[in-house]
């Protein structure tokens, strides 16, 4: 079989593992481009993609179950190195004539891998032939297909690492992509660089250069608008498009009155003064508050804010006239989430601020960041000259503080929440914790509690503080903020914010809780 010319890129087939995105991140850390696709993509796509190698991810299914995600064996005839991880290993063994069984004891967590043979996959590993690896599986390989040999074992996995004797096929039962696996990053590097021969050509400088040219080709001489939220994604997308088309880009910032303290002034200063990007800022706060009056249901809040945003944005865009393209800050995780191990999903994730605009306004989408993860977006922003305060800022929801107020959104509730939020951010920055925390937020609880201030009884509201650590927001743990920092935050909020006499700290993780309260 003749495949397309080999390119310095890796194809990852997603069988549903919670770690699949982590495989991609580890490979990109080695400056090699990779993409994640469902195993249902056809051979024609794989041939045209021209990967230097293919990785089969782990997954929650059993290869023994009816309807389990499968593999087109013709891909193995492309003569490109293949690495099966966990479910990927079991699938290869099962489909090539080996035997897989449901194990009596599930192997989950740390395990001791004992390497029994030298192999390029395990080259340059420090620490000898034994190392801790991370397992997460129920089935196990009982017998290898013809032509395979064992490279390593664990107590519960007699074939924890294997390879074909003459074909470029490897499999590991453990997860080299997680940090719990000793030397896992080096193993992936060995596969990508050593076995697949990929050069480290995936850099953000190269990405910027290629993307600017691609934007110019797509846009031509047309005008472009961008719905700017002030967040990292839309800011970097706007800066990248501006480098490509200059003043034919106009950003529209809709101030819905639900933003953080001084947010609008900071956005105007960054884009108009620092970056020189044309910006139209519209104050629609009165309209949003009027529409939100009496609304307590969080989903209804989101719908009202989303629909009204579209109306305001559409009206402002019409005033500009002649725009044909819309910049959207879609990231690679958004693209991945639109697919599943069984093929295209019925629901495509859209940007929280501009979902629905392309259909209503007949605009062509320009999505310059759709190949990037969040950390790569931040690096692009830095290389484009955006200040660290802009590219390093925490995620902030499109509906803003509206979903951080439990119950009805009113000006009287927004004011103390906005000030409490500002105090929280000031103190974690002062403590040097801002960059260690994925997201920090304050929540207004319209639950009055008894307090004492100045020898007088008070009966006022509560602010909840939430700080989490995460990699991609799919899971999150509460941040272990030092008690003295929490104490300072609490004291300042109670002393400086009228109407608040109690501060609590949220110590729930995701799952089961979400990061935002609504």
């Amino acid at each position: 079989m003749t495949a397309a010319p080999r390119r310095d890129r890796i194809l990852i087939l997603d069988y549903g593992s919670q770690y699949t995105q982590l495989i991609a991140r580890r490979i990109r850390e080695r400056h090699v481009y990779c993409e994640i696709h469902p195993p249902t993509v056809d051979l024609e796509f794989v041939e045209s993609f021209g990967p230097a190698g293919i990785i089969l991810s782990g997954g929650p299914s059993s290869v023994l179950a009816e309807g389990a995600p499968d593999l087109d064996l013709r891909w193995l005839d492309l003569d490109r190195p293949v690495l099966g991880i966990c479910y990927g290993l079991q699938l290869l063994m099962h489909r090539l004539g080996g035997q897989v069984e449901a194990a009596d004891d599930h192997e989950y967590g740390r395990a001791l891998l004992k390497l029994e043979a030298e192999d390029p996959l395990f080259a340059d590993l420090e620490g000898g032939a034994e190392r801790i690896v991370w397992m997460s599986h129920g089935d196990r390989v009982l017998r290898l297909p013809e032509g395979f040999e064992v490279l390593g074992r664990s107590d519960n996995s007699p074939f924890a690492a294997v390879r074909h004797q003459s074909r470029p096929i490897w499999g590991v039962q453990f997860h080299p992509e997680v940090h719990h696996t000793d030397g896992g990053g080096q193993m992936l590097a060995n596969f990508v660089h050593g076995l697949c021969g990929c050069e480290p050509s995936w850099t953000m400088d190269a990405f910027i250069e290629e993307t600017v040219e691609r934007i110019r080709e797509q846009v031509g001489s047309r005008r472009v608008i961008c719905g700017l939220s002030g967040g990292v994604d839309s800011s970097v997308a706007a800066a990248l498009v501006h480098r490509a088309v200059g003043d034919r880009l106009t950003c529209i910032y809709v101030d819905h009155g639900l933003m953080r303290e001084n947010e609008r002034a900071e956005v105007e200063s960054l884009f108009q003064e620092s970056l020189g990007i044309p910006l139209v800022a519209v104050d629609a706060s009165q309209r949003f508050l009027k529409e939100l009056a009496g609304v307590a249901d969080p989903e209804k809040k989101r719908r009202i804010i989303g629909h009204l945003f579209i109306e305001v944005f559409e009206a402002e865009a019409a005033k500009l006239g002649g725009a044909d393209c819309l910049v959207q800050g879609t990231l690679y995780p958004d693209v991945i989430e639109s697919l599943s191990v069984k093929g295209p999903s019925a629901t495509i994730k859209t940007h929280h601020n501009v979902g629905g605009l392309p259909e209503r306004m007949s605009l062509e989408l320009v999505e310059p960041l759709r190949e990037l993860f969040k950390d790569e977006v931040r690096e692009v922003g830095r290389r484009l000259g955006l200040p660290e305060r802009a590219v390093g800022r925490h995620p902030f929801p499109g509906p803003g503080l509206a979903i951080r107020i439990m119950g009805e959104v009113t000006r009287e509730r927004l004011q103390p929440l906005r000030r409490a939020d500002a105090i929280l951010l000031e103190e974690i920055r002062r403590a040097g914790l801002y960059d260690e925390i994925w997201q920090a937020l304050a929540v207004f609880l319209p639950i009055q509690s008894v307090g004492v201030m100045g020898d007088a009884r008070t009966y006022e509201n509560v602010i909840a503080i939430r700080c989490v650590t995460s990699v991609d927001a799919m899971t999150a743990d509460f941040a272990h903020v030092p008690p003295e920092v929490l104490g300072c935050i609490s004291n300042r909020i109670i002393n400086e914010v009228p109407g608040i006499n109690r501060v609590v700290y949220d110590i729930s993780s995701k799952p089961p809780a979400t990061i935002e309260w609504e």
Side-chain angles (χ1 to χ4, degrees):
M1 182 179 299
T2 303
R6 186 196 68 82
R7 303 172 184 171
D8 288 327
R9 53 174 57 181
I10 300 295
L11 172 63
I12 302 170
L13 298 179
D14 180 14
Y15 287 93
S17 170
Q18 61 180 318
Y19 303 129
T20 301
Q21 288 193 32
L22 196 53
I23 299 173
R25 295 172 68 89
R26 293 289 176 263
I27 292 173
R28 290 192 179 189
E29 286 171 1
R30 298 287 175 168
H31 302 295
V32 173
Y33 183 68
C34 60
E35 287 187 9
I36 298 171
H37 290 275
T40 50
V41 294
D42 58 28
L43 181 62
E44 183 180 358
F45 166 80
V46 179
E47 289 180 305
S48 64
F49 186 75
I54 301 173
I55 294 178
L56 315 183
S57 83
S61 301
S62 167
V63 298
L64 305 174
E66 184 178 353
D70 205 356
L71 170 69
D72 187 338
L73 292 182
R74 292 178 297 170
W75 296 355
L76 303 182
D77 296 329
L78 295 174
D79 198 32
R80 304 290 163 82
V82 174
L83 173 62
I85 296 175
C86 194
Y87 180 89
L89 161 71
Q90 295 165 8
L91 182 59
L92 285 168
M93 300 300 97
H94 178 64
R95 293 287 277 111
L96 292 174
Q99 184 177 354
V100 177
E101 67 169 0
D104 293 331
D105 297 320
H106 289 200
E107 194 171 23
Y108 182 81
R110 291 175 174 84
L112 182 65
L113 173 70
K114 301 174 183 178
L115 296 175
E116 298 183 349
E118 292 186 2
D119 189 85
L121 185 64
F122 302 114
D124 301 321
L125 295 179
E126 298 179 357
E130 295 186 356
R131 62 195 55 255
I132 297 298
V133 297
W134 186 260
M135 296 282 193
S136 179
H137 63 98
D139 295 348
R140 67 175 178 178
V141 178
L142 187 63
R143 177 174 53 81
L144 293 180
E146 183 178 351
F148 279 85
E149 61 181 331
V150 63
L151 299 175
R153 308 176 186 271
S154 71
D155 289 341
N156 290 319
S157 297
F159 305 109
V162 304
R163 71 155 295 167
H164 196 279
Q165 294 171 333
S166 59
R167 302 175 70 187
I169 304 174
W170 287 261
V172 294
Q173 184 60 76
F174 56 90
H175 289 272
E177 68 272 23
V178 303
H179 73 271
H180 305 293
T181 293
D182 181 20
Q186 182 61 45
M187 296 174 199
L188 289 175
N190 289 339
F191 178 75
V192 170
H193 296 305
L195 298 174
C196 298
C198 291
E199 295 294 329
S201 58
W202 172 250
T203 66
M204 291 304 97
D205 286 334
F207 169 82
I208 291 172
E209 183 178 342
E210 293 170 4
T211 303
V212 165
E213 288 304 314
R214 192 160 62 240
I215 293 169
R216 287 172 179 162
E217 290 178 7
Q218 177 186 358
V219 172
S221 60
R222 296 179 294 175
R223 293 187 59 193
V224 188
I225 56 175
C226 174
L228 195 66
S229 69
V232 178
D233 303 342
S234 65
S235 297
V236 174
L240 193 53
V241 173
H242 183 256
R243 173 168 289 194
V245 304
D247 289 350
R248 283 186 287 117
L249 167 70
T250 300
C251 293
I252 300 175
Y253 176 75
V254 177
D255 181 1
H256 50 32
L258 307 169
M259 303 303 287
R260 287 173 160 167
E261 192 171 82
N262 300 322
E263 185 90 23
R264 178 176 172 179
E266 290 181 7
V267 169
E268 290 178 321
S269 173
L270 171 63
F271 279 81
Q272 292 180 322
E273 299 172 17
S274 300
L275 302 177
I277 299 177
L279 173 68
V280 174
V282 53
D283 184 356
S285 56
Q286 293 280 33
R287 288 186 63 185
F288 279 86
L289 283 175
K290 182 179 179 180
E291 291 293 325
L292 289 168
V295 178
D297 179 75
E299 286 309 307
K300 191 172 182 181
K301 290 182 193 176
R302 289 179 182 272
R303 286 195 299 271
I304 289 172
I305 294 168
H307 293 159
L308 187 53
F309 178 92
I310 291 175
E311 288 183 18
V312 175
F313 185 94
E314 193 174 23
E316 291 302 315
K319 294 177 184 177
L320 297 174
D324 300 292
C325 303
L326 172 70
V327 179
Q328 187 161 304
T330 307
L331 303 192
Y332 195 45
D334 301 335
V335 176
I336 296 169
E337 287 174 14
S338 71
L339 302 172
S340 72
V341 296
K342 294 184 178 179
S345 170
T347 302
I348 306 295
K349 182 178 179 182
T350 54
H351 190 275
H352 54 67
N353 273 345
V354 296
L357 279 173
E359 293 83 358
R360 286 181 58 134
M361 302 175 67
S362 300
L363 296 171
E364 181 179 331
L365 279 181
V366 179
E367 300 175 295
L369 307 178
R370 63 181 287 113
E371 296 176 342
L372 302 186
F373 288 103
K374 192 79 170 189
D375 54 336
E376 294 170 328
V377 173
R378 296 186 197 278
E379 183 60 27
V380 168
R382 294 184 183 101
R383 293 178 184 275
L384 289 172
L386 272 67
E388 188 62 32
R389 191 174 183 89
V391 298
R393 64 170 283 170
H394 291 173
F396 188 70
L401 299 178
I403 58 169
R404 294 180 180 175
I405 293 176
M406 302 297 100
E408 182 183 6
V409 179
T410 66
R411 195 178 302 277
E412 291 73 26
R413 290 176 174 180
L414 278 167
Q415 186 171 346
L417 176 59
R418 190 173 281 121
R419 186 83 277 270
D421 175 83
I423 291 171
L424 167 64
L425 297 181
E426 287 171 9
E427 291 303 323
I428 64 172
R429 285 186 186 277
R430 182 175 289 116
L433 300 173
Y434 188 86
D435 292 335
E436 297 177 17
I437 294 172
W438 171 269
Q439 196 168 350
L441 57 108
V443 181
F444 182 92
L445 305 181
I447 302 170
Q448 293 182 307
S449 68
V450 174
V452 177
M453 291 184 179
D455 296 327
R457 178 184 182 275
T458 61
Y459 193 55
E460 295 178 330
N461 294 296
V462 179
I463 289 288
I465 298 300
R466 182 146 171 76
C467 301
V468 299
T469 58
S470 181
V471 173
D472 51 19
M474 297 178 70
T475 61
D477 292 320
F478 71 90
H480 293 262
V481 179
E484 59 271 20
V485 177
L486 290 175
C488 182
I489 293 168
S490 176
N491 287 339
R492 283 197 59 193
I493 290 175
I494 291 172
N495 289 328
E496 298 177 28
V497 182
I500 303 299
N501 69 353
R502 190 177 299 271
V503 174
V504 297
Y505 188 59
D506 182 349
I507 59 170
S508 50
S509 296
K510 175 188 179 181
T514 54
I515 295 178
E516 297 286 348
W517 277 43
E518 287 191 345

